[in-house]
Amino acid sequence: MEKLYFSLLFLLSVSLASSQVVQNETVTNCNNNSKSIYTTLSSGKVLVIASEGFDCSICRSKAPGLQSWAAQNVTSIEVWGAMTYTYSGNTPTCTDVSSWKNSYSWNDIFMFIDSGRKWFGAGTPQYFVYSPQDSTLAYQGFSETTARSTAENLVATIGIHEQEAIAPFFVNQGEGFIQLNNLPPSTIQFQLFDLTGKAVKTQIISNQFGEAFKINITEMKRGLYLVKVKNGKGFEAVKKVMIR
């Protein structure tokens, strides 16, 4: 138990990556369903965005494999398809999207028309991997193999870091609950870790006004835990709490 405790304290001492936090982007598919980068990362999932060209033969040949991989990792990795044309400036239509979806069964990939070519860069297919740990771009490039391995490694190795808010975040507790104080006004991901590093409780908090939040812990066993809170805008903090 003591070794596990000090291992977690070592993780707390690791600095946040120096990479720049990515800007939030909201995209909408042809069914008028919207997703944002920050909301996805706040759920704890790694986000992979694949820039795909309707007229790109490599994209078409890789499409079935990308769907299979997305389906296998759906609980920890979210995959988006940023759809465009590679060899022309034409804007794709929803008919194009529907045809692709039917051809390659992209039921586990969120497809949207990249009308502004934000993810196109220098060609397709191109991959962007975003880390839920610190909301940074972990990989950008043309290798699907590297994109997959980067995403899988992030899932396997995401550690616990601490970054204090402008107003110090703190935790207090009462009978059957812990209270989170000085949270920033945003969507917050709350996690409770035991001393093996396992997340035993996860909750998404919509904290519009920066108020305190109470978390029910009546089902938790006695012992020392780590409380982790973060959003997709750079706030991240970890505190210890003893549940008695």
Side-chain angles (χ1 to χ4, degrees):
M1 179 66 74
E2 184 177 355
K3 289 183 178 179
L4 289 172
Y5 174 75
F6 284 109
S7 295
L8 287 173
L9 289 183
F10 171 76
L11 288 174
L12 290 178
S13 69
V14 178
S15 299
L16 287 173
S18 58
S19 303
Q20 184 177 1
V21 175
V22 298
Q23 292 184 344
N24 193 28
E25 296 286 347
T26 300
V27 297
T28 304
N29 68 7
C30 287
N31 294 322
N32 207 32
N33 296 318
S34 296
K35 288 179 177 285
S36 77
I37 291 177
Y38 282 177
T39 300
T40 300
L41 297 180
S42 292
S43 73
K45 289 186 177 182
V46 175
L47 173 61
V48 176
I49 300 181
S51 177
E52 303 284 349
F54 287 107
D55 54 348
C56 164
S57 59
I58 297 176
C59 301
R60 293 194 296 267
S61 67
K62 288 179 173 291
L66 187 59
Q67 160 58 30
S68 296
W69 181 76
Q72 292 168 4
N73 295 277
V74 69
T75 60
S76 56
I77 300 172
E78 188 163 312
V79 182
W80 296 358
M83 310 306 296
T84 186
Y85 277 103
T86 304
Y87 302 108
S88 77
N90 295 336
T91 299
T93 67
C94 287
T95 300
D96 293 327
V97 173
S98 179
S99 176
W100 182 285
K101 181 179 176 66
N102 292 334
S103 295
Y104 304 113
S105 301
W106 271 24
N107 299 313
D108 297 286
I109 298 177
F110 182 79
M111 302 173 66
F112 63 94
I113 296 173
D114 188 13
S115 56
R117 287 195 160 194
K118 178 174 180 60
W119 288 274
F120 177 73
T124 61
Q126 186 172 186
Y127 307 92
F128 301 77
V129 181
Y130 300 90
S131 170
Q133 176 178 310
D134 52 13
S135 302
T136 58
L137 181 63
Y139 173 75
Q140 176 183 347
F142 297 97
S143 171
E144 182 177 336
T145 300
T146 303
R148 288 190 189 190
S149 62
T150 300
E152 291 167 0
N153 287 338
L154 283 171
V155 171
T157 62
I158 286 175
I160 302 173
H161 301 272
E162 182 167 13
Q163 176 177 313
E164 296 294 348
I166 295 174
F169 165 76
F170 68 95
V171 178
N172 59 359
Q173 62 188 118
E175 185 65 34
F177 72 88
I178 56 176
Q179 182 166 295
L180 315 177
N181 302 278
N182 289 344
L183 292 173
S186 62
T187 300
I188 303 288
Q189 182 191 48
F190 161 83
Q191 289 181 293
L192 192 65
F193 292 85
D194 64 21
L195 288 183
T196 69
K198 178 183 178 181
V200 294
K201 189 177 183 69
T202 299
Q203 185 173 334
I204 299 298
I205 299 168
S206 180
N207 188 37
Q208 297 182 3
F209 306 105
E211 69 269 28
F213 261 85
K214 288 184 178 180
I215 304 292
N216 187 299
I217 56 169
T218 54
E219 77 281 12
M220 305 309 304
K221 296 180 180 178
R222 295 180 179 180
L224 182 64
Y225 293 82
L226 295 176
V227 173
K228 178 181 179 181
V229 290
K230 69 172 184 176
N231 63 12
K233 301 178 182 180
F235 167 72
E236 186 169 343
V238 179
K239 299 294 182 183
K240 297 186 292 292
V241 64
M242 178 65 74
I243 297 178
R244 296 180 173 84

